[in-house]
Amino acid sequence: EDEVFSAAYFIDLHNKVRLSGTYNFAGARVELAHSKINVDLFRQKLEDYDDKVICQFLQYGFPLGLAQEVFLEPCLKNHPSAYLYYSYIDTFLHKEVSKHGVVGPLPQPPFNPTMLSPMMTSPKNPNSRRPVFDASWGDWSLNENTPVKSYMGGNYDFKFPTVLDLADLIVKEGRGCLLYKRDLSRWFLQLPVDPADYDKLGFLWRGMYWWFVSYVWGTRHAGV
């Protein structure tokens, strides 16, 4: 059974890291007890690769990668699709609180200041919908203040594989090749966010304050 972590635990994490004046991996290096990632295994598998730099983020949390000087404007209202399909938001939050992807609810903002972004839902298949954290809403949103194709001072060029890419693989391997799909539905939500950025991942739901402590889909670098 998963260990229960209180809202106070996450608020204390944020305060400790912010007190250091920099990101967790570069300063306080506070262990994230709520994270379930086997960092030692990642270090072992990536020992001979340049990608091993991500291990410090897996252990201490991924910064959002915002610009150094930002101006953020909170949004106090969600999109209509969140209210029209409220049951999907309710179910999502119930699950993510138990999985340590989301923290809440609290009657007051957990941080001062707290950046709030609107929630919405989008069709997932004919019979379901996916809750979305809209980090692009407004002129002063999280994504508007996040550099494109640049993360923590390093440049990158990344794109997801397309159907055509998969077709090329099939042609290359030939007729009769085996294919399989593995759906990691919570993959991004398993990646811990640096506690220094908790104050930027808030949202309002049912008159209460919540915030993400994992890399939620909708932020610019979640898929990278």
Side-chain angles (χ1 to χ4, degrees):
E1 187 174 342
D2 289 340
E3 184 178 354
V4 176
F5 294 89
S6 67
Y9 158 81
F10 291 99
I11 293 173
D12 185 57
L13 263 182
H14 171 77
N15 292 336
K16 285 180 179 177
V17 175
R18 286 301 293 269
L19 193 62
S20 73
T22 186
Y23 289 112
N24 193 24
F25 78 92
R29 299 177 73 85
V30 179
E31 294 290 341
L32 307 181
H34 62 281
S35 177
K36 302 300 181 183
I37 293 179
N38 187 341
V39 181
D40 290 338
L41 181 59
F42 272 90
R43 284 202 167 96
Q44 176 187 338
K45 298 296 183 180
L46 296 175
E47 184 176 2
D48 298 324
Y49 297 89
D50 293 337
D51 293 342
K52 65 184 178 183
V53 68
I54 72 165
C55 292
Q56 63 182 346
F57 301 136
L58 290 171
Q59 184 171 3
Y60 299 111
F62 285 82
L64 293 178
L66 273 69
Q68 289 186 346
E69 296 183 7
V70 300
F71 179 79
L72 301 173
E73 185 175 16
C75 179
L76 303 179
K77 191 174 182 180
N78 295 303
H79 291 293
S81 63
Y83 301 117
L84 287 172
Y85 302 97
Y86 64 90
S87 63
Y88 290 96
I89 302 290
D90 287 340
T91 300
F92 171 77
L93 293 181
H94 179 77
K95 175 182 178 180
E96 289 306 319
V97 165
S98 68
K99 298 290 186 181
H100 314 310
V102 170
V103 181
L106 290 181
Q108 300 294 330
F111 314 108
N112 184 24
T114 297
M115 174 58 182
L116 303 171
S117 299
M119 294 292 290
M120 60 183 289
T121 65
S122 64
K124 185 176 181 180
N125 56 50
N127 299 312
S128 183
R129 298 186 72 87
R130 175 184 285 109
V132 177
F133 181 77
D134 188 0
S136 296
W137 177 256
D139 295 331
W140 305 104
S141 66
L142 289 176
N143 287 346
E144 187 67 26
N145 284 276
T146 305
V148 179
K149 294 188 176 181
S150 174
Y151 182 72
M152 303 302 292
N155 297 326
Y156 68 86
D157 187 13
F158 175 85
K159 65 178 182 178
F160 288 103
T162 67
V163 173
L164 293 178
D165 293 326
L166 297 177
D168 289 340
L169 286 174
I170 294 172
V171 171
K172 176 182 177 182
E173 298 299 329
R175 181 178 298 179
C177 68
L178 300 178
L179 300 174
Y180 78 94
K181 172 187 175 184
R182 185 169 185 177
D183 185 7
L184 300 176
S185 61
R186 289 194 70 255
W187 172 242
F188 302 106
L189 287 165
Q190 296 178 64
L191 298 178
V193 164
D194 192 301
D197 281 335
Y198 287 172
D199 58 338
K200 300 176 183 69
L201 292 173
F203 61 97
L204 276 169
W205 185 248
R206 293 186 177 272
M208 304 291 275
Y209 291 85
W210 308 71
W211 71 97
F212 285 94
V213 294
S214 55
Y215 230 125
V216 57
W217 186 262
T219 51
R220 186 178 298 283
H221 296 307
V224 182

